[in-house]
């Protein structure tokens, strides 16, 4: 398991650097423009007051941008699930299915490593890679704060990152699960991506349409904490997301240890295999 | 333990397609068994069941006395495997791939033997895999299967893409592995390879083992082409009446082209009563035997 973890983490090295330093650069830019933004706060407040109520309801408390927390939350964290979700879903859906579809898993699995060990090693590597990306991004925000009037503590900035981590772990695990159930990794990515986008917009629409509130409660991003996280995290929400990610990961593992490994290019619906009394499986 | 591989009644469905229809096969310790069959006959499916990469719907498998579904790690520890469609991580160097695979085996690999293998197969381990030719990638596959000196080698078309010189080197390596006590189970499309290398051949057709024999036994079972010429015109009806003898062509009773299945004894005795001028026989190779089964499959289809 450790060998597979180490090997997978090394394979993530490029992505950790690329995503991490890309987001860190964005953080540096945001912190560096904060001072000039703060100088024009009066103009911004006038602009926000002119927005229609529906617009404000959809996008949330835009007026909160007048505070350092609000500025970082809106300019960085608000859209981050969509950006980093690309990595999480791609990495999750490709965790095992990429090697499987490219015919590489056969060789690995002919070595003395259990399916469980392979799964756990790779999934832990994904979680570590995600943590690495967010850590570098966090450094990109807290590092240049000394040269800016953006007065936030390092711990305060870390809290929304924790919430973002839980969200991305959940969508990554969802990607793994879908790749275990759907005929191809591409289809799994598409389905998980669709759910991510729907989840991103649903809470906003729910503020405009009360009928959507019930549905929005099932949206993972309803529990995403940004501006409010600076003051303190809602731990129930955070651990709830992590628990959901763990459930998806467990279901994925359950499928992986029971199902056939496809040879390169072979695909097929596996939903039928989940029926225990099905006499014929793929 | 008598049999290194013991497969009984193996059935495998892929959706509505039945790939294996009750495969029964035993491989003895120290044996070099060639597994022969046309594309889609079930060779790779059988091999992947042995490695617990796919699960059969019925039947039982014992590999080295163990059930691969219940003890996959114990089985895999003693196996060297070369997949039929080898795919490797292109971004790694050959040496990095070997290091990774050795680590997966708990570092139980003789480095000196690995070096010898790469030298004998003329494999440059400093090159990136994506820059290797298909033949060199196949060498990587052969080396990784052999490098830990496994008890059982399962090789799906081991010489695919290799030039004739390298094919010969692989044959030597497999014989050396066998002489060390390893059992070799390999599939192949190259009939000459099976004929020269295997102690025993199993032919699979439409998911069923249709023949198991040594290459010599198969050749003996084969049809022979016999050309007889006579000093005077003769009536060939007595020859036509012989079991297993078919007259393929004749020329005014002065010569005949015959096909003989099984023993030649009855034909020779019958020909004793004819004014035979010349007799030529040609025994068939394993390729003919294989094609016989293949043709039968087409006829049935």
């Amino acid at each position: 398991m450790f060998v597979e973890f180490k090997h997978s983490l090394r394979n993530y090295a490029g992505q950790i650097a690329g995503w991490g330093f890309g987001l860190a650069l964005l953080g540096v830019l945001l912190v560096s423009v904060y001072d000039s933004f703060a100088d024009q706060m009066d103009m911004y407040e006038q602009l926000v007051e002119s927005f229609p109520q529906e617009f404000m309801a959809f996008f949330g408390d835009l007026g909160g941008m007048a505070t350092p927390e609000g500025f970082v939350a809106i300019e960085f964290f608000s859209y981050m699930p969509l950006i980093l979700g690309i990595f999480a879903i791609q990495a999750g859906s490709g965790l095992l299915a990429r090697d499987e579809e490219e015919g590489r898993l056969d060789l690995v699995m002919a070595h003395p490593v259990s399916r469980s060990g392979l799964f756990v090693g790779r999934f832990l590597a994904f979680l570590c890679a995600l943590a690495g990306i967010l850590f570098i991004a966090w450094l990109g925000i807290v590092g240049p704060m000394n040269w800016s009037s953006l007065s936030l503590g390092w711990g305060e900035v870390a809290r929304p990152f924790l919430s973002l981590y839980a969200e991305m772990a959940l969508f990554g695990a969802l990607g793994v699960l879908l790749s275990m159930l759907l005929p191809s990794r591409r289809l799994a990515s598409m389905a998980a991506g669709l759910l991510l986008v729907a989840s991103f917009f649903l809470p906003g629409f729910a503020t405009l349409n009360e009928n959507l509130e019930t549905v929005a409660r099932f949206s993972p991003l309803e529990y995403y904490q940004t501006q409010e996280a600076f003051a303190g995290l809602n731990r129930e929400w955070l651990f709830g997301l992590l628990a959901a990610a763990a459930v998806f990961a467990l279901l994925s593992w359950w499928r992986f240890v029971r199902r056939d490994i496809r040879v390169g290019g072979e695909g097929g619906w596996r939903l039928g295999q989940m029926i225990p009394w099905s006499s014929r499986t793929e | 333990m008598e049999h290194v591989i013991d497969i009984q009644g193996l059935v495998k469905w892929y959706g509505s397609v039945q790939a294996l229809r009750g495969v029964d096969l035993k491989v003895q310790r120290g044996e070099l068994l060639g597994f022969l069959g046309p594309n889609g006959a079930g060779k790779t499916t059988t091999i992947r069941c042995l490695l617990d990469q796919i699960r059969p719907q019925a039947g039982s498998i014992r590999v080295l006395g163990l059930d691969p579904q219940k003890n996959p790690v114990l089985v895999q520890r003693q196996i060297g495997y070369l997949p039929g469609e080898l795919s490797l991580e292109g971004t790694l160097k050959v040496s990095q791939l070997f290091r990774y695979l050795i680590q997966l085996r708990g570092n139980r690999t003789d480095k000196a033997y690995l070096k010898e293998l790469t030298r004998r197969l003329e494999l440059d381990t400093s090159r990136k895999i994506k820059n290797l030719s298909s033949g060199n990638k196949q060498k990587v596959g052969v080396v990784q299967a052999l490098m830990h000196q496994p008890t059982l080698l399962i090789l799906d078309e081991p010489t695919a893409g290799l030039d004739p010189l390298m094919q010969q080197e692989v044959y030597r390596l497999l014989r050396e592995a066998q002489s060390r006590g390893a059992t070799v189970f390999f599939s192949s499309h190259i009939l000459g390879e099976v004929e020269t290398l295997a102690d025993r051949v199993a032919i699979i057709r439409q998911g069923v083992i249709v023949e198991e024999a040594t290459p010599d036994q198969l050749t003996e079972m084969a049809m022979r082409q016999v050309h007889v010429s006579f000093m005077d015109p003769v009536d060939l009806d007595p020859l036509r009446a012989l079991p297993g003898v078919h007259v393929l062509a004749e020329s005014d009773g002065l010569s005949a082209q015959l096909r003989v299945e099984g023993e030649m004894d009855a034909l020779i005795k019958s020909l004793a009563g004819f004014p035979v001028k010349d007799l030529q026989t040609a025994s068939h190779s394993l390729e003919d035997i294989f094609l016989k089964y293949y043709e039968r499959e087409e006829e049935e289809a």
Side-chain angles (χ1 to χ4, degrees), chain A residues 102-145:
Chain A
E102 290 175 8
R104 293 197 293 255
L105 207 57
D106 264 27
L107 186 63
V108 176
M109 289 188 58
H111 286 73
V113 54
S114 66
R115 289 193 186 201
S116 297
L118 189 73
F119 181 90
V120 173
R122 289 194 174 194
F123 193 71
L124 286 179
F126 159 69
L127 292 178
C128 286
L130 186 60
I133 290 169
L134 292 179
F135 177 71
I136 297 169
W138 173 76
L139 285 177
I141 293 177
V142 297
M145 277 196 319

Side-chain angles (χ1 to χ4, degrees), chain A residues 3-4 7 11 102-104 106-112 114-115 257-258 260-263 280-282, chain B residues 12-15 48 52-55 57 73 76-77 81 83 87-89 92 100-101 103-105 144:
Chain A
V3 173
E4 193 53 40
H7 181 73
N11 285 345
E102 290 175 8
R104 293 197 293 255
D106 264 27
L107 186 63
V108 176
M109 289 188 58
H111 286 73
S114 66
R115 289 193 186 201
V257 296
R258 278 163 182 79
D260 285 354
I261 303 300
R262 293 172 290 181
V263 288
R280 286 179 196 171
T281 55
E282 182 191 331
Chain B
K12 178 66 189 170
W13 291 85
Y14 289 109
R48 298 186 82 234
D52 188 39
Q53 290 175 350
I54 53 175
R55 272 83 189 256
Q57 280 80 29
V73 175
Q76 285 149 7
R77 189 165 288 153
Y81 171 59
S87 181
L88 305 164
E89 282 184 60
L92 295 179
Y100 165 53
L101 297 178
Q103 285 171 351
L104 280 178
R105 292 203 173 276
Q144 65 78 31

Side-chain angles (χ1 to χ4, degrees), chain B residues 50-101:
Chain B
L50 288 173
L51 294 157
D52 188 39
Q53 290 175 350
I54 53 175
R55 272 83 189 256
Q57 280 80 29
S60 71
I61 304 173
R62 307 292 289 181
V63 179
L64 297 154
L66 299 163
D67 181 342
Q69 278 191 43
K70 289 180 182 161
N71 302 287
V73 175
L74 281 178
V75 170
Q76 285 149 7
R77 189 165 288 153
Q78 302 175 75
I79 286 180
Y81 171 59
L82 172 64
E85 288 181 25
L86 182 67
S87 181
L88 305 164
E89 282 184 60
T91 53
L92 295 179
K93 287 180 180 176
V94 176
S95 56
Q96 289 174 320
L97 177 78
F98 287 155
R99 199 174 306 133
Y100 165 53
L101 297 178

